[in-house]
């Protein structure tokens, strides 16, 4: 089975050679591969030794993507099962009218936790977990570029998620719905700490998701196998890239909205109180700016899994590969313009409602393009009859049904009738199950041999499929009818004699049919993992896949990193596996005696340097533990203990990154075939520089949401803008912020040109930090002296909220400056440049720009009271 591409690595050699004059990389070096000579004795053993996972209790210090990814997947699926159990209790309650299985408040907590766990602890983490596990293998990277960040992300998710879920056993779970709209969730109507658990827990989990997204974006762009240009990148890698970009653009809105609601609850700042200049609709705008893209954040990587598996089960390349990639990009782009699709009944202006309705129609077009590409691929190939193909076809059918009802509720007139009824419940369950859950099950059956060398049972898998497929329709199809008959969602009971009885009973039976299918899958999965698999850890390519993950041989992914020539390299070159396992490509061993991976250029995937990767460490686990303690202790108002945990979390994080930026004696190493590559680079070529840029994009999006809140409240309630904007801080504030940015920018030139450059850079960064602190103090005192108070009006609440968030960034800058000075004192900030300085300069300059925006926005624009 081959593709219409040149066999072997000849295609990659030819492509690289033709681009040599443009890129400056000597592409003829690729011609050294593959070599037929034997590798040095003990090379493979040394590679295995360096990458082995600690055993026993030390396994918790492991950071390798295989270990962390597997734990991630198991945990996410555990939350799926737990949320499913909650839904079964709700279905039993609704099986008959006036049932009294659980009290009303408990029922409210159940549906709130069911939705919150499914969306925040299962759906996004599950697709992110699969990416952590699968992406490095698919692009032939040794690991993700920041393995300790992956470990921190997982442990933070696990600890925060478990504590958050367990709140339901102590009647501390929230009861305001998974969206927690105010005023129901504010301090007046949700007293106690239940809502605080949701706000701080979900905000903490979102931070974990963003950390994982930064890791995945840099992984896709900078760790691909040589020759894997953007045109040869697997469709799944494209999806992970889009998925990561969407997370860093959408999730900041969720972080800001939970931050604002917690400020209102803690300090009585009327951000969402319409009686004092706030507006509850501001919450909905910010929440759904996250919430609607979140649906596509879940869908895009899952749909790419479908595309990847369909290529294999059909035995031919994906029809319209380029169109599908464009469809993924278009879906991600359009999804950010559809958020008010959920707000048609709040009284939007006619023009706004028309725009969002049209956007809701438009987003269906790229999704439809993918569906037609899948159907065409299946129709034109010879489809394998196995469990993955069953889940793929069944998932497509369910997704199409959910998409059709999505187009219906995207129409303003129809949504006015169906809004907040069980019709909407049926719609989004069809969409999420068809677009994510069924592809997830297909992926389990398809990639399980890659994980442990064993295959899940085909016979049991068919039972799992049919129980789930039938259960979905039995459970959710009647809900369309009950919704159109007028049954509202989020009710714990209903009166008899309204024809709701039979459809609800049928839905309850369907829920238990689905539960039986999931239980059967769990039994089979436990059997598969408890029985011994391939001793060598080799991926058993039982379905004859053509992508690189089937070369996986252990924690180090592949024995040597191959040169890629096509979208399905294993189909294009039958000898590729043999050459890779013989060590005939890049990094066949450990060139430095440590863990390494190859960093390549973002567009053409040309080798640039060898990254020395960190090994096992306890610090990510400890940092996650103390970070979770800091957030969760805030919910019970244990401020002292929370502060202690916060300090310990900072210490752990600093200790974990302390050894990341280090020079080794080997400035260049043989990366294979006699090709010499550096082991240390700085600036835009460094993968750490890319991560720093992504971090400030996240911070910028969070602050942009705060600025949106200020502008929205002024537009809604200008009569509450009673305090004239003071101008005393304008000149000193601008001068301080300008000096801060200038000093941060000058730190590197000073380091490169001065005799004592390291000390000069440390002094410049310290002065930059002091200027930032001074500007924040000047700004805050100016407003305070003008008589503005946070609890007086929406004006005060939004201005102080912006300063509060900027203050948290300034605290990070202060800690970073101390960290850099400590490194300088220890001689770990060498001239003429180092990666730590490059990353911190970006953060400091951004903080100055953010401070300038917060300083000028309320003072310069006409509605600032000037």
């Amino acid at each position: 089975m081959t593709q219409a591409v040149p066999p072997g690595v000849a295609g990659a050699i030819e492509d690289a050679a033709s681009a040599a004059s443009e890129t400056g990389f000597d592409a003829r070096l690729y011609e050294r591969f593959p070599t037929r000579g034997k590798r040095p004795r003990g090379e493979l053993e040394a590679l295995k030794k360096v990458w082995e996972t600690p055993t026993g209790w030390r396994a918790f210090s492991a950071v390798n993507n295989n270990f962390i990814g597997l734990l991630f997947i198991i945990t996410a699926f555990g939350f799926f099962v737990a949320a499913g159990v909650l839904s079964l209790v709700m279905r039993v309650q609704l099986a008959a009218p006036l049932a009294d299985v659980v009290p009303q408040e408990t029922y409210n907590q159940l549906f709130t936790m069911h939705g919150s766990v499914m969306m925040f602890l299962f759906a996004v983490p599950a697709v992110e977990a699969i990416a952590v596990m699968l992406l490095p293998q698919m692009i032939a990277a040794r690991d993700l570029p920041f393995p300790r960040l992956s470990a921190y992300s997982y442990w933070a998710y696990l600890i925060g998620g478990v504590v958050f879920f367990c709140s339901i056993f102590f009647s501390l779970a929230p009861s305001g719905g998974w969206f927690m709209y105010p005023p129901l969730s504010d301090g007046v109507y949700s007293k106690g700490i239940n809502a605080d658990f949701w706000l701080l827990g979900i905000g903490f989990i979102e931070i974990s998701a963003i950390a994982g997204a930064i890791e995945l974006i840099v992984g896709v762009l900078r760790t691909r196998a040589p020759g894997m240009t953007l045109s040869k990148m697997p469709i799944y890698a494209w999806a992970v890239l889009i998925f990561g970009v969407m997370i860093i653009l959408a999730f900041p809105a969720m972080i800001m909205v939970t931050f604002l609601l917690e400020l209102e609850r803690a300090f009585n700042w009327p951000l969402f109180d319409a009686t004092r200049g706030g507006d509850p609709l501001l919450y909905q705008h910010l929440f759904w700016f996250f919430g609607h893209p979140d649906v596509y954040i879940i869908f895009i990587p899952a749909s790419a899994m479908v595309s990847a598996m369909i290529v294999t089960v059909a035995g031919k390349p994906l029809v319209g590969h380029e169109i599908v990639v464009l469809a993924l990009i278009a879906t991600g782009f359009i999804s950010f313009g559809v958020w008010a699709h959920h707000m048609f009944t709040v009284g939007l202006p006619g023009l706004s409602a028309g725009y969002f309705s049209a956007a809701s129609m438009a987003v269906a077009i790229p999704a439809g393009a993918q569906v037609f590409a899948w159907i065409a691929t299946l129709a034109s190939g010879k489809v394998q009859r196995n469990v993955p193909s069953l889940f793929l076809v069944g998932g497509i059918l369910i997704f199409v049904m959910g998409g059709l009802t999505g187009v219906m509720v995207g129409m303003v007139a129809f949504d006015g009738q169906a809004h907040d009824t069980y019709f909407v419940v049926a719609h989004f369950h069809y969409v999420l199950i068809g677009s994510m859950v069924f592809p997830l099950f297909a992926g389990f059956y398809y990639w399980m041999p890659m994980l442990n060398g064993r295959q899940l049972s085909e016979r049991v898998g068919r039972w799992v499929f049919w129980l789930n497929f039938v259960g979905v329709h039995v459970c959710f199809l009647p809900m369309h009818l009950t919704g159109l008959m007028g049954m509202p969602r989020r009710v714990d009971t209903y009166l008899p004699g309204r024809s709701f009885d039979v459809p609800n009973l049928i839905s309850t039976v369907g829920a238990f049919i689905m539960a039986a299918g999931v239980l059967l899958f769990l039994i089979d999965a436990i059997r598969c993992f408890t029985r011994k698999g391939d001793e060598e850890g080799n991926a058993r390519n039982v379905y004859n896949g053509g992508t690189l993950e089937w070369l996986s041989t252990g924690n180090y992914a592949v024995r040597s990193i191959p040169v890629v020539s096509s979208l399905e390299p294993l189909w294009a070159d039958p000898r590729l596996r043999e050459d890779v396992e013989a060590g005939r490509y890049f990094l066949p061993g450990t060139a430095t005696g440590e863990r390494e991976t190859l960093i390549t250029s973002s567009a053409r995937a040309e080798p640039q340097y060898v990254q020395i990767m960190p090994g096992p460490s306890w610090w990510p686990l400890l940092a996650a533990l103390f970070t979770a303690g800091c957030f969760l202790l805030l919910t019970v108002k244990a401020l002292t203990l929370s502060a202690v945990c916060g300090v310990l979390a900072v210490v752990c994080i600093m200790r974990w990154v302390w050894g990341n930026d280090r020079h080794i004696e080997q400035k260049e190493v043989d990366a294979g075939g006699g090709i010499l590559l550096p082991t240390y680079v700085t600036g835009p070529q460094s993968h750490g520089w890319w991560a720093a840029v992504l971090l400030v994009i996240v911070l910028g999006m969070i602050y942009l949401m705060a600025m949106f809140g200020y502008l929205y409240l002024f537009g809604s309630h200008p009569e509450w803008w009673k305090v004239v904007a003071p101008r005393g801080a304008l000149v000193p504030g601008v001068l301080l912020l300008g000096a801060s940015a200038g000093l941060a920018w000058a730190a590197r030139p000073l380091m490169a040109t001065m005799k004592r450059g390291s000390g000069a850079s440390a002094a410049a960064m310290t002065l930059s930090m002091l200027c930032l602190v001074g500007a924040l103090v000047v700004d805050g005192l100016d407003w305070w002296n003008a008589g503005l108070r946070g609890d007086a009006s929406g004006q005060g609440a939004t201005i102080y909220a912006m300063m509060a968030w900027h203050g948290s960034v300034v605290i990070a800058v202060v800690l970073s400056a101390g960290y850099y000075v400590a490194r300088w004192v220890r001689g770990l900030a060498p001239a003429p440049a180092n990666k730590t300085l490059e990353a911190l300069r970006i953060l400091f300059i951004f903080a100055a720009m953010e401070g300038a925006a917060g300083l000028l926005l309320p003072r310069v624009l006409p509605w600032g009271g000037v």
Side-chain angles (χ1 to χ4, degrees):
M1 188 186 306
T2 59
Q3 288 181 277
V5 294
V9 298
I13 295 171
E14 181 180 345
D15 290 345
S18 66
S21 60
E22 300 177 10
T23 62
F25 180 78
D26 188 358
R28 290 174 297 177
L29 293 176
Y30 282 138
E31 296 176 3
R32 303 187 186 195
F33 304 109
T35 58
R36 300 302 174 193
K38 292 185 178 180
R39 302 301 307 171
R41 182 187 296 265
E43 183 181 65
L44 179 58
E45 289 72 18
L47 184 66
K48 290 181 178 180
K49 180 67 176 176
V50 166
W51 283 93
E52 67 181 358
T53 300
T55 57
W57 60 272
R58 294 183 60 249
F60 293 104
S61 68
V63 297
N64 181 261
N65 76 290
N66 283 344
F67 180 79
I68 294 298
L70 182 60
L71 290 180
F72 221 142
I73 293 170
I74 293 172
T75 305
F77 197 80
F79 283 123
F80 169 73
V81 173
V85 171
L86 300 183
S87 70
L88 292 179
V89 177
M90 291 189 291
R91 285 312 321 166
V92 171
Q93 171 85 348
L94 294 173
L98 299 178
D100 192 23
V101 177
V102 292
Q104 183 183 43
E105 177 61 21
T106 302
Y107 184 88
N108 292 342
Q109 293 185 15
L110 288 174
F111 76 69
T112 299
M113 289 297 292
H114 170 73
S116 299
V117 171
M118 282 295 190
M119 293 301 295
F120 297 112
L121 295 180
F122 165 63
V124 174
V127 292
E128 190 168 62
I130 291 173
V132 169
M133 168 68 75
L134 185 58
L135 179 69
Q137 274 83 350
M138 192 170 281
I139 60 177
R142 293 277 192 236
D143 201 340
L144 290 170
F146 308 102
R148 291 184 181 178
L149 184 61
S150 295
Y152 173 78
S153 175
Y154 167 70
W155 292 117
Y157 158 69
L158 172 67
I159 297 167
V162 168
V163 174
F164 173 70
F165 183 82
C166 289
S167 65
I168 196 168
F169 300 116
F170 302 94
S171 296
L172 293 175
S175 57
W178 75 275
F179 36 79
M180 291 291 286
Y181 285 163
L184 185 61
S185 58
D186 66 19
V188 176
Y189 298 101
S190 291
K191 298 184 184 299
I193 63 173
N194 299 47
D196 299 305
F197 260 111
W198 188 91
L199 291 169
L200 294 171
I202 294 302
F204 175 55
I205 292 165
E206 299 304 299
I207 294 172
S208 168
I210 289 173
I214 292 174
E215 170 94 298
L216 293 171
I217 293 172
V218 179
V220 172
L221 292 176
R222 301 305 311 279
T223 63
R224 303 195 307 274
M228 188 181 283
T229 62
L230 295 178
S231 62
K232 297 185 181 72
M233 196 162 75
I235 195 86
Y236 182 73
W238 272 108
V240 170
L241 176 60
I242 298 165
F243 161 84
V245 171
M246 292 181 69
I247 282 181
I248 67 172
L249 295 179
F251 278 39
M254 188 63 190
I255 291 176
M256 178 48 64
V257 80
T258 54
F259 177 72
L260 294 179
L261 185 54
E262 189 59 33
L263 287 177
E264 177 167 299
R265 290 177 57 84
F267 303 111
N268 193 29
W269 291 0
L271 290 151
F272 308 114
D273 183 355
T275 65
R276 292 185 289 160
D279 197 326
L281 290 184
L282 170 61
Y283 182 97
Q284 292 196 34
H285 279 290
L286 291 173
F287 180 88
W288 289 115
F289 187 81
F290 146 81
H292 200 85
D294 188 48
V295 175
Y296 297 99
I297 286 170
I298 297 165
F299 165 68
I300 285 175
S303 70
M305 289 168 58
V306 173
S307 297
M309 288 183 280
I310 276 181
V311 168
T312 299
V313 300
K316 67 163 297 174
L318 183 67
V319 173
H321 172 88
E322 294 83 1
I323 294 175
V324 172
V325 171
L326 291 174
L328 292 174
I329 296 172
T331 300
F333 179 78
I334 298 172
S335 69
F336 282 95
V338 192
W339 78 86
H341 159 103
H342 299 266
M343 301 172 60
F344 287 150
T345 60
V346 304
L348 292 175
L351 183 62
S352 297
Y355 162 77
F356 286 108
S357 180
S360 301
M361 305 297 119
V363 79
I365 296 174
Q370 292 183 73
V371 171
F372 282 115
W374 298 335
I375 294 172
T377 305
L378 291 170
S380 58
K382 186 176 180 180
V383 179
Q384 301 178 30
R385 300 194 176 189
N386 49 41
V387 174
S389 62
L390 281 175
F391 274 104
L392 291 172
V393 175
I396 292 171
L397 176 62
I398 294 171
F399 172 64
V400 169
M401 293 178 66
L404 291 174
T405 57
V407 172
M408 294 169 66
V409 297
M411 293 184 288
V412 178
F414 182 84
D415 185 76
Q417 299 298 315
H419 188 77
D420 266 351
T421 70
Y422 261 83
F423 187 93
V424 177
V425 176
H427 153 66
F428 67 70
H429 278 89
Y430 262 89
V431 169
L432 291 176
I433 291 173
S435 68
M436 190 267 175
V437 177
F438 268 53
L440 189 68
F441 276 105
F444 286 153
Y445 282 91
Y446 178 76
W447 279 297
M448 186 65 76
M450 186 197 76
L451 297 182
N452 71 341
R454 290 192 60 83
Q455 187 178 2
L456 289 165
S457 169
E458 283 282 316
R459 183 171 61 86
V460 175
R462 294 177 187 276
W463 277 97
V464 173
F465 167 75
W466 285 111
L467 285 170
N468 277 283
F469 185 76
V470 172
V472 166
H473 294 295
V474 174
C475 181
F476 297 109
L477 197 59
M479 291 185 187
H480 294 93
L481 177 62
T482 54
L484 293 177
M485 292 166 60
M487 182 174 175
R489 57 193 293 200
R490 297 187 289 273
V491 292
D492 66 313
T493 190
Y494 51 92
L495 295 174
R498 297 196 176 186
S499 301
F500 297 159
D501 314 39
V502 173
N504 273 292
L505 180 60
I506 294 173
S507 292
T508 301
V509 172
F512 278 90
I513 294 174
M514 291 175 62
V518 173
L519 178 61
L520 195 58
F521 170 79
L522 284 174
I523 294 172
D524 191 29
I526 293 171
R527 176 201 61 82
C528 182
F529 270 98
T530 53
R531 297 180 64 181
K532 197 172 182 180
D534 190 331
E535 293 183 0
E536 296 297 323
N538 296 318
R540 292 177 54 206
N541 192 358
V542 295
Y543 301 110
N544 192 29
T547 42
L548 294 176
E549 72 271 21
W550 299 111
L551 297 176
S552 176
T553 56
N555 288 337
Y556 47 86
V558 291
R559 163 69 198 280
S560 59
I561 300 174
V563 179
V564 173
S565 62
S566 69
L567 284 168
E568 282 81 31
L570 296 184
W571 291 357
D573 182 7
R575 297 192 58 174
L576 184 62
R577 176 182 289 277
E578 175 189 339
D579 290 335
V580 166
E581 292 180 354
R584 294 170 181 155
Y585 288 102
F586 285 97
L587 294 181
T590 171
T592 64
E594 300 189 50
R595 297 187 178 193
E596 306 148 347
T597 195
L598 198 63
I599 300 297
T600 55
S601 61
S602 57
R604 298 197 59 83
E606 294 166 341
Q608 292 188 325
Y609 66 97
V610 173
Q611 178 194 351
I612 310 301
M613 308 197 72
S617 172
W618 288 102
W619 297 113
L621 171 58
L622 293 174
L625 182 64
F626 289 124
T627 306
C630 177
F631 275 81
L632 296 171
L633 286 168
L634 283 175
T635 62
V636 295
K637 314 303 181 187
L639 301 183
T640 302
L641 286 177
S642 175
V644 170
C645 284
V647 171
L648 291 175
V650 170
V651 170
C652 291
I653 292 172
M654 288 185 174
R655 182 60 186 86
W656 130 32
V657 300
W658 186 261
N660 286 1
D661 182 11
R662 58 194 176 97
H663 293 73
I664 64 173
E665 293 183 3
Q666 299 157 283
K667 304 303 180 185
E668 288 186 332
V669 294
D670 182 353
I675 299 175
L676 296 179
L677 293 175
T679 59
Y680 190 95
V681 299
T682 60
Q685 218 180 21
S686 167
H687 65 285
W689 182 91
W690 287 65
V693 170
L694 292 172
L695 175 61
V696 300
I697 290 174
V698 171
L699 295 175
M701 286 298 300
I702 295 174
Y703 201 69
L704 190 63
M705 296 299 107
M707 294 169 66
F708 170 81
Y710 174 86
L711 297 173
Y712 182 86
L713 288 189
F714 173 79
S716 301
H717 304 285
E719 69 277 6
W720 282 95
W721 259 240
K722 297 178 180 180
V723 177
V724 176
R727 306 189 67 175
L730 270 177
V731 174
V734 168
L735 290 176
L736 285 168
L737 292 168
S740 176
L743 287 164
W745 179 87
R748 178 169 181 175
L750 288 172
M751 171 178 275
T753 57
M754 296 186 67
K755 184 177 181 180
R756 297 179 179 269
S758 295
S761 68
M765 298 298 280
T766 302
L767 290 173
S768 174
M769 175 268 292
L770 292 174
C771 289
L772 274 172
V773 174
L776 179 62
V777 172
V778 167
D779 188 17
L781 288 176
D782 201 28
W783 282 107
W784 187 265
N785 292 332
L788 186 70
R789 299 294 182 267
D791 59 354
S793 67
Q795 179 191 18
T798 52
I799 289 174
Y800 281 112
M802 285 194 292
M803 283 194 288
W805 180 261
H806 179 60
S808 67
V809 175
V810 171
I811 290 173
V813 167
V814 171
L815 295 172
S816 300
Y819 174 77
Y820 186 72
V821 169
R823 290 186 65 85
W824 168 68
V825 170
R826 295 295 301 273
L828 298 176
N834 60 78
K835 290 185 284 190
T836 301
L837 178 62
E838 295 289 347
L840 294 185
R841 286 172 72 231
I842 295 171
L843 175 63
F844 281 42
I845 293 171
F846 163 78
M849 296 171 61
E850 180 184 81
L855 182 76
L856 296 174
L857 177 67
R859 290 179 172 88
V860 174
L861 297 180
W863 46 79
V866 178

